[in-house]
Amino acid sequence: MTAKEQTIIEIPVTDLLERTRKLHGDGYRLVQIGCTGLAESYEINYSFDKEYRFQNLRITVAPGEEVPSISGIYWGAFVYENEMHDLFGIPVTGMNIDFQGAMIRTGEKHPFSVTRKGEGPCRNA
Amino acid sequence: MGFCTMAKIVIRNLVHGPATRRYPAVPQRACPITRGHVTLDPAQCISCGLCMRRCPAQAIQVDKAEKVWEIDRFRCIACDACVEACPVKCLTMETTYIAPVTEQTVERHAITYVKPEKKKKPETGQAEG
Amino acid sequence: MPERIVVPFGPQHPVLPEPIHLDLVLEDETVVDVVPSIGYIHRGLEKLVTKREYPEFVHVAERICGICSFMHGMAYVQGIEAIMDVEVPDRARYLRTIWAECSRLHSHLLWLGLFADAMGFENLFMRSWQLRESVLDVLEDTTGGRVIQGTCKVGGVRRDIKGEKLSDIQKTLPEFEQQCRDLTDVFLNDESVKYRLGGLGVIGKSEAYDLGAAGPTLRGSGVDWDARCLGYAAYADLDFKPVSHPAGDCYARCAVRLGELFTSIDLINQAVEKMPEGPIDVKVTGAPDGEYFCRVEQPRGEVVHYLKGDGTKHLTRARVRTPTLANIPPLVKMLPGCQLADVPVIVLSIDPCISCTER
Amino acid sequence: MNGILGALLFIILAPFLGGLIAGADRILTARMQGRVGPPLLQPFYDVGKLFEKENVVVTTAQNFYILAYLAFIIVSGALFFAGGDLLLIIFAFTLAHVFLVLGAYAVHSPYSHIGAERELIQIMAYEPMIILSAVGLYLVSGSFYVGDIIASTVPAILYLPGVFLGFLTILTIKLRKSPFDISTSHHAHQEIVKGITTEFSGATLGQVEIAHWYENVFLLGFVYLFFAFNPILGVVAVIVTYVAEIFIDNTTARLRWQAALQSGWGVAAILGLFNLAVVVYIIGGV
């Protein structure tokens, strides 16, 4: 099945814009930007698709490290980037629509941040 | 041209009468495998605790020592996982839903199963304190 | 310049099925700006992956959404199966396809109802939901659950549909299809509906592609991209074509979903005909070690489940990108310039599912 | 003497009749949608409950405006059933709605304000047609007085089919039914929640409901005028008209305010004026 083919390319943050621009030029569609926290850093996957070929660019950033916005290339990237900022506290620079932390309403700032102290009480447990 | 294209459906509805069921006067629709709520047969339960471990909602608590099987109906998602996991088939998925309640309570069932022969009931006295 | 007023729209609003908040800046009744915000119903389901063993997490995954529930479960188990290289029996793949298409039917009919309600057509709303009820009955008869099926598991499915029941389902399809045709006639040909939908919230083909739109929002702009073409479950063996419509407006998105009703009916029919005999599951041992992006076409569009395991019973990471999130940029592009009366119609046209989006 | 009796009967009986009509409307609507629907007396239960509610008001002025709305609806209806001057009745009726709009403007809610703006547009939309209907009835019967129109034996409907159709169109606006339930509808499922009545609650909302019952009886009375030459035909026509309105309500989507304005003025210009021109210039009056 072709469905299983997917590539993940690890790249440094500095290459992000250039490679994204190249993918955009090749006619790739932005599928998602997914951020997940590792132990001490964040892993961000930029997923693209063209005619069912699935490509991922992966960057790893330390807390507080700035990530350039790709919203200049893919206009719709702002939802994912605001999410990265609102939930994980990753500073994303140069977003086309910057909600300043107001897109996702959270009880506390950056709830998914890896530097956040403690686990926080879970009310239902 | 489409004016009153809905007319056909309106007339059909008028002729055929209401499609709704006058619940609760008329009971709900159910089929043999409808997942309503879980019940326990306390005479068969061996307090193995598999249901507790398999429960994705952590609704079931089994106290091996006190021989108590508890279920929090508010947490239970009627997924059938416990019924599948149970090695002695003492759990049943009933097809009816539980009646609505306003307070969250934990349902407690005393397990009456007695192990035939062999080892005695394991350390019942210990956990009482 | 006319006075500007800000109308809060949501999170609790009668025409919105789920809590999304929009601040609408109006000049008279024309929307000039819109600021969306979400975050009202975050439930931390992704975090739960570290607390539940991977075979049990499927129940959690199914509860990401109450409508595309089955497909969330399916996306999750397919991801795990891909990581663990599990070969799922053919019958299970076909059964999954049938349930997935039933889910799509009931989701689309639900959406059609809500959409009709958004444009003030209560009777059409009732009719759509009446048809949805017959799909729910089939789901209940075959899985035990009306909206939460809970039949997917890693390695196959938990329930079989007996041959008798399969042919019963097939027998009801022609009548159901006819009822759907009557419904389609109203949605596509009624003048008052056309007046409300035509030329509204237009997104062009290349724009939709560039914005990363998903599902019917993408196909409603003429891009015939459908994740089912990836060939997961039994889709590779079945014959179908993605439904698309070139207009890019609300009418087109509605037409795409109506078209997909018939695709789904046809797929169920094909799946029943070709249903192979055999086991419905395989025993899965071990634990997932690796990562995978699983993509499944939900009623709302393509969902991406990113799963990563480290060889223990608990996955280390799960992330779900739901179609609604991908469709927010098109929504932000569509709204400015429309009338206040059209806001619900446009918002509904992307079929927002906010609880999916927030997990 | 007869007039005062008519007015009194209207004031006392109209709420009962209006409530029953509303109840029958809800059942019929439900049946058209494949539902069972509420009991016939449900509207009375609803209003009764509204009057039991605690009075929560942000701006006390709205209570006055709504009371004035109710009062003027009653006055216009009473004048109508007393056989009064149709023009005076129409202006009293309009004034009543101006009070409703003022009441909606008195509160500070964007939904209510937008509802009020839309209500004003609706008033503008239906006003020309209502006046043309009065003029048409005058041309046929030779009097603006309701008493004289009823006494007239001329079959008004035969001379005024266009005017009657035009009146039916704006009746949809007045009964707050799809496709023209744009300022408020019978349920709160629209973009402006419940529009003009969003901010009214309890007894105030109850008064709005009662006013709506009075209004419906008055409007159906207006329909009767077209068939006044034959009372049995008149009653049948009123029932058929109302059922047709429910039918239209159930087979159309809600339109935008622009369409309401265009339809209101469109029917006034095309059906109304053309019909009147035919009556005046071709038939040469009655």
Side-chain angles (χ1 to χ4, degrees):
Chain A
M1 273 199 296
T2 50
K4 297 210 171 179
E5 282 169 26
Q6 40 187 245
T7 52
I8 299 170
I9 310 164
E10 300 220 12
I11 57 163
V13 181
T14 44
D15 282 4
L16 177 68
L17 285 181
E18 195 190 319
R19 299 203 68 144
T20 310
R21 206 166 280 130
K22 189 168 177 311
L23 283 167
H24 183 252
D26 289 346
Y28 275 84
R29 181 173 67 92
L30 178 71
V31 174
Q32 66 135 5
I33 305 175
C35 180
T36 49
L38 300 178
E40 292 283 294
S41 56
Y42 303 101
E43 186 182 277
I44 309 172
N45 295 304
Y46 292 74
S47 313
F48 302 91
D49 170 279
K50 184 190 179 188
E51 283 152 19
Y52 308 104
R53 281 197 302 278
F54 198 55
Q55 287 244 10
N56 290 283
L57 300 178
R58 171 170 297 174
I59 58 172
T60 312
V61 294
E65 192 181 341
E66 284 186 355
V67 175
S69 166
I70 62 159
S71 59
I73 305 161
Y74 288 98
W75 193 86
F78 75 88
V79 271
Y80 308 110
E81 288 173 347
N82 275 292
E83 185 187 53
M84 264 150 63
H85 171 265
D86 294 357
L87 295 182
F88 296 88
I90 299 169
V92 185
T93 53
M95 276 190 277
N96 55 357
I97 301 180
D98 192 343
F99 288 92
Q100 317 270 347
M103 189 182 93
I104 299 187
R105 311 250 166 149
T106 50
E108 61 178 281
K109 271 200 152 176
H110 315 317
F112 293 1
S113 165
V114 289
T115 53
R116 188 168 153 260
K117 298 280 180 298
E119 278 271 300
C122 176
R123 267 181 299 152
N124 222 356
Chain B
M1 289 301 279
F3 288 102
C4 294
T5 47
M6 195 69 191
K8 194 173 159 190
I9 292 169
V10 167
I11 291 165
R12 191 186 305 151
N13 282 340
L14 283 174
V15 173
H16 288 289
T20 47
R21 186 189 300 260
R22 307 204 73 179
Y23 184 82
V26 179
Q28 91 203 46
R29 179 190 187 278
C31 67
I33 56 168
T34 296
R35 299 196 304 268
H37 70 284
V38 185
T39 51
L40 171 87
D41 179 359
Q44 282 190 46
C45 177
I46 54 168
S47 1
C48 66
L50 260 182
C51 49
M52 172 170 74
R53 275 193 284 142
R54 286 290 163 78
C55 179
Q58 294 175 339
I60 301 176
Q61 291 293 324
V62 183
D63 195 322
K64 219 169 179 161
E66 290 210 31
K67 299 201 72 170
V68 168
W69 187 87
E70 292 178 344
I71 184 164
D72 182 346
R73 299 276 180 206
F74 271 36
R75 299 196 68 134
C76 175
I77 55 175
C79 64
D80 218 19
C82 50
V83 180
E84 270 180 20
C86 185
V88 291
K89 303 285 165 235
C90 66
L91 293 170
T92 326
M93 183 59 77
E94 302 287 344
T95 57
T96 50
Y97 302 133
I98 48 165
V101 286
T102 50
E103 262 174 36
Q104 183 170 18
T105 47
V106 177
E107 229 176 87
R108 290 169 67 94
H109 295 274
I111 298 167
T112 53
Y113 172 78
V114 184
K115 235 176 192 182
E117 297 290 289
K118 272 195 165 178
K119 276 182 249 165
K120 284 177 282 166
K121 287 171 267 174
E123 66 265 18
T124 25
Q126 224 174 35
E128 253 157 29
Chain C
M1 203 181 82
E3 194 189 347
R4 288 190 171 194
I5 55 169
V6 178
V7 176
F9 199 74
Q12 293 300 327
H13 193 288
V15 294
L16 287 176
E18 290 189 57
I20 180 171
H21 177 82
L22 301 169
D23 275 321
L24 301 172
V25 184
L26 298 186
E27 271 178 13
D28 289 335
E29 284 212 21
T30 309
V31 178
V32 289
D33 199 9
V34 53
V35 185
S37 56
I38 53 175
Y40 297 92
I41 37 172
H42 174 76
R43 291 160 291 159
L45 295 183
E46 285 173 348
K47 182 75 183 166
L48 267 181
V49 83
T50 57
K51 309 270 186 216
R52 297 281 185 278
E53 290 182 9
Y54 77 90
E56 269 123 58
F57 188 75
V58 60
H59 293 294
V60 180
E62 286 209 314
R63 279 157 180 84
I64 289 174
C65 177
I67 303 301
C68 23
S69 149
F70 183 80
M71 301 206 210
H72 273 296
M74 186 160 90
Y76 170 79
V77 297
Q78 280 178 2
I80 298 285
E81 282 155 7
I83 297 173
M84 298 174 72
D85 252 332
V86 176
E87 197 60 49
V88 182
D90 284 346
R91 192 169 173 92
R93 292 195 293 117
Y94 275 79
L95 287 171
R96 280 181 189 177
T97 308
I98 290 180
W99 282 320
E101 290 310 316
C102 281
S103 300
R104 192 183 315 280
L105 280 176
H106 100 71
S107 172
H108 278 351
L109 286 167
L110 172 119
W111 176 84
L112 286 165
L114 292 174
F115 196 51
D117 190 47
M119 55 189 170
F121 203 150
E122 293 82 27
N123 199 358
L124 197 51
F125 157 70
M126 294 287 174
R127 180 62 186 166
S128 306
W129 281 38
Q130 193 183 332
L131 288 190
R132 172 174 178 253
E133 213 51 34
S134 46
V135 184
L136 292 183
D137 287 350
V138 168
L139 282 171
E140 188 178 7
D141 286 347
T142 53
T143 68
R146 286 160 61 78
V147 284
I148 306 278
Q149 278 74 43
T151 43
C152 253
K153 71 171 184 184
V154 177
V157 290
R158 289 168 67 193
R159 266 182 208 284
D160 199 355
I161 311 180
K162 297 274 179 299
E164 231 170 275
K165 184 69 201 161
L166 276 177
S167 47
D168 279 355
I169 294 172
Q170 205 181 14
K171 267 180 226 148
T172 60
L173 285 177
E175 196 200 336
F176 180 70
E177 188 174 345
Q178 184 51 44
Q179 288 171 336
C180 287
R181 293 221 179 275
D182 290 346
L183 194 74
T184 308
D185 178 47
V186 181
F187 271 106
L188 295 185
N189 300 325
D190 192 88
E191 287 301 317
S192 66
V193 176
K194 273 192 194 164
Y195 168 86
R196 287 305 301 268
L197 303 184
L200 192 63
V202 180
I203 292 280
K205 184 172 179 173
S206 59
E207 200 182 6
Y209 190 83
D210 244 26
L211 287 173
T217 313
L218 182 64
R219 292 192 288 278
S221 294
V223 184
D224 53 357
W225 196 95
D226 190 321
R228 282 179 285 178
C229 294
L230 287 167
Y232 61 87
Y235 291 109
D237 313 343
L238 304 175
D239 178 38
F240 82 102
K241 264 194 13 220
V243 181
S244 68
H245 194 289
D249 55 3
C250 289
Y251 180 81
R253 290 187 275 279
C254 183
V256 165
R257 289 188 175 93
L258 287 162
E260 287 183 3
L261 290 181
F262 301 106
T263 313
S264 293
I265 294 172
D266 185 44
L267 280 169
I268 295 172
N269 225 335
Q270 288 185 40
V272 171
E273 302 240 305
K274 293 188 181 174
M275 177 67 73
E277 292 299 322
I280 55 165
D281 60 345
V282 289
K283 199 163 168 54
V284 179
T285 49
D289 188 5
E291 57 186 331
Y292 192 72
F293 289 91
C294 184
R295 297 192 289 165
V296 160
E297 183 73 17
Q298 283 188 337
R300 286 158 185 77
E302 164 202 30
V303 67
V304 183
H305 274 241
Y306 170 62
L307 307 168
K308 187 175 183 180
D310 59 356
T312 61
K313 284 274 181 195
H314 300 279
L315 293 181
T316 50
R317 217 163 303 145
R319 190 189 181 277
V320 185
R321 192 286 266 145
T322 57
T324 303
L325 195 62
N327 283 331
I328 287 180
L331 179 65
V332 172
K333 280 264 180 180
M334 281 176 220
L335 280 172
C338 78
Q339 293 285 303
L340 174 64
D342 297 330
V343 170
V345 178
I346 294 179
V347 171
L348 258 293
S349 78
I350 67 156
D351 199 357
C353 181
I354 307 302
S355 55
C356 278
T357 309
E358 306 192 353
R359 279 95 58 201
Chain D
M1 197 56 218
N2 219 347
I4 295 169
L5 187 69
L8 271 177
L9 279 178
F10 171 77
I11 293 170
I12 297 162
L13 293 183
F16 295 100
L17 188 59
L20 287 176
I21 292 173
D25 177 347
R26 286 172 71 169
I27 292 175
L28 191 56
T29 301
R31 292 301 160 98
M32 285 186 178
Q33 298 177 349
R35 293 184 289 121
V36 176
L40 184 64
L41 298 181
Q42 189 65 41
F44 296 107
Y45 305 147
D46 290 349
V47 169
K49 189 170 180 183
L50 284 176
F51 277 97
E52 276 174 21
K53 298 239 177 200
E54 194 184 343
N55 198 10
V56 184
V57 191
V58 183
T59 320
T60 40
Q62 56 168 289
N63 286 352
F64 164 73
Y65 287 125
I66 294 306
L67 198 61
Y69 165 58
L70 177 61
F72 274 92
I73 287 282
I74 295 175
V75 165
S76 51
L79 278 173
F80 182 87
F81 283 89
D85 187 342
L86 211 43
L87 290 178
L88 179 64
I89 293 162
I90 290 171
F91 284 111
F93 187 63
T94 310
L95 184 60
H97 286 89
V98 171
F99 277 114
L100 177 63
V101 170
L102 284 173
Y105 271 126
V107 294
H108 306 282
S109 153
Y111 301 124
S112 186
H113 281 205
I114 294 166
E117 279 166 20
R118 290 186 179 179
E119 182 72 17
L120 282 175
I121 288 164
Q122 287 190 341
I123 295 175
M124 284 199 293
Y126 69 71
E127 205 64 8
M129 192 60 234
I130 269 200
I131 293 172
L132 284 185
S133 306
V135 172
L137 289 168
Y138 166 77
L139 286 177
V140 173
S141 64
S143 170
F144 273 118
Y145 279 84
V146 175
D148 296 343
I149 296 170
I150 291 181
S152 159
T153 50
V154 184
I157 183 68
L158 293 183
Y159 291 94
L160 302 167
V163 171
F164 182 67
L165 277 180
F167 187 77
L168 284 192
T169 312
I170 59 144
L171 193 62
T172 315
I173 300 179
K174 284 311 317 156
L175 295 178
R176 306 200 184 285
K177 290 199 174 294
S178 259
F180 299 127
D181 50 349
I182 55 172
S183 77
T184 180
S185 61
H186 290 289
H187 50 74
H189 265 230
Q190 61 175 314
E191 63 281 358
I192 49 173
V193 190
K194 211 171 181 312
I196 195 163
T197 50
T198 306
E199 296 298 316
F200 303 142
S201 64
T204 322
L205 188 59
Q207 286 168 21
V208 175
E209 279 298 309
I210 293 174
H212 192 61
W213 295 346
Y214 272 116
E215 191 183 344
N216 285 359
V217 174
F218 158 64
L219 288 165
L220 294 176
F222 208 117
V223 171
Y224 177 83
L225 287 189
F226 287 90
F227 301 87
F229 59 94
N230 184 340
I232 297 166
L233 183 66
V235 172
V236 172
V238 166
I239 294 169
V240 169
T241 305
Y242 200 79
V243 171
E245 290 290 347
I246 297 172
F247 182 78
I248 296 289
D249 181 37
N250 276 299
T251 50
T252 48
R254 182 187 304 123
L255 301 181
R256 302 185 195 110
W257 63 264
Q258 291 91 334
L261 201 57
Q262 282 161 7
S263 320
W265 288 2
V267 293
I270 298 165
L271 295 172
L273 281 179
F274 180 72
N275 192 173
L276 292 189
V278 170
V279 170
V280 173
Y281 295 110
I282 298 176
I283 305 173
V286 182

